[in-house]
Amino acid sequence: MTHVYRGGQPYGTGRPALLTPHEVRTHEFASRRRGVDPVEVRRFQSRLADQLAALHQEIRTLARENDRLARALRDWQTRHARNCPPTNGGHW
C-alpha cells in the first residue's frame, strides 16, 4: 500500500490524519442554487482553522513535556539503580 502523507501522518497507519488549519481555510465547497452564504462559511472556516492551530500547538507542547518527563524518569531510574544495592542479594 502506498503511503500518502497528510497532516504529518501517513495514511494507512491506523491513525486518522489531522486536518491542517490551511486545509480548513482553503477548502472550496461546490456551489448550489440555494447554497449557504459564502462569507459566513469563510468566517466559520477561519474560526475552525484558528482553533485547530491552537490545538496543534498544544499537542506539540504536551508531546515535548511528555518527552522531558520520560527522560527525567529514565535518568532517575538509572541513578536509583546504581545507588541502591539489590534487596535479594543479587539473585533473581
Side-chain angles (χ1 to χ4, degrees), residues 2-90:
T2 302
H3 293 290
V4 178
Y5 288 86
R6 177 170 168 250
Q9 296 296 325
Y11 283 118
T13 60
R15 295 178 61 190
L18 299 175
L19 284 174
T20 65
H22 177 74
E23 287 175 310
V24 172
R25 280 192 179 97
T26 59
H27 182 78
E28 295 291 329
F29 296 91
S31 59
R32 304 280 182 201
R33 180 185 293 220
R34 294 180 185 237
V36 294
D37 179 11
V39 173
E40 189 176 339
V41 169
R42 294 293 177 217
R43 197 175 305 131
F44 177 77
Q45 282 179 303
S46 181
R47 278 184 45 216
L48 181 59
D50 291 344
Q51 289 178 10
L52 277 174
L55 288 171
H56 286 202
Q57 179 59 41
E58 186 175 355
I59 288 169
R60 285 190 296 274
T61 300
L62 292 172
R64 282 193 303 267
E65 178 68 3
N66 186 41
D67 290 342
R68 185 190 69 77
L69 290 171
R71 281 192 310 273
L73 177 60
R74 279 193 307 271
D75 292 346
W76 179 86
Q77 288 170 328
T78 301
R79 284 192 315 273
H80 182 71
R82 270 192 237 128
N83 297 333
C84 295
T87 57
N88 61 2

